Amino acid sequence: MNKVQLFGRLTRDPEGKFTQSGMMVVKFTLAVDAGKDKPANFIKITAFGKTAEVIAEHVKKGHRLLVEGHLQTGSYEKDGKKVVTTDVILEQFTFIETKKDLNK
């Protein structure tokens, strides 16, 4: 089973764009606390469709989210070296901020 659940804060505003087919894709990074005296983990998250549209419209840097999704790995070449990536593909999320906080 490939399932991930994370709680953290956005490190910057989500970056969204529409694909050629008209689907919204949003990418953002979630800072997830690793525990006492340990640095945070920075996890790349990708959302698609209506979920991406809601995130792009309502979520900003510093907002807290609870996200659920699955891991997806990939790779690409950079300067002749293979770079391996791991991302969470968002399936659902929960706003942790209040509506008042989201409007700041």
Side-chain angles (χ1 to χ4, degrees):
M1 176 185 274
N2 181 357
K3 199 70 153 166
V4 168
Q5 187 175 53
L6 300 166
F7 172 73
R9 286 189 186 274
L10 272 74
T11 61
R12 63 177 189 258
D13 289 347
E15 298 176 9
K17 64 180 182 180
F18 285 96
T19 64
Q20 289 181 338
S21 65
M23 181 190 314
M24 172 70 91
V25 178
V26 167
K27 295 183 180 230
F28 60 93
T29 301
L30 203 62
V32 178
D33 188 15
K36 187 177 181 178
D37 299 327
K38 294 182 183 177
N41 292 299
F42 297 93
I43 312 296
K44 292 188 241 176
I45 313 287
T46 303
F48 297 93
K50 288 289 185 190
T51 301
E53 291 176 28
V54 170
I55 287 174
E57 185 175 334
H58 296 290
V59 180
K60 303 288 182 232
K61 176 182 177 179
H63 285 173
R64 295 176 297 163
L65 286 182
L66 174 64
V67 300
E68 293 182 40
H70 64 273
L71 291 176
Q72 178 173 295
T73 59
S75 64
Y76 62 92
E77 292 278 331
K78 183 175 183 177
D79 300 326
K81 294 184 179 182
K82 185 177 182 177
V83 177
V84 176
T85 62
T86 302
D87 298 278
V88 172
I89 305 303
L90 187 66
E91 295 168 359
Q92 60 184 15
F93 71 97
T94 303
F95 290 115
I96 303 300
E97 308 296 332
T98 65
K99 192 168 188 173
K100 178 182 171 185
D101 292 334
L102 289 173
N103 291 324
K104 287 183 180 179

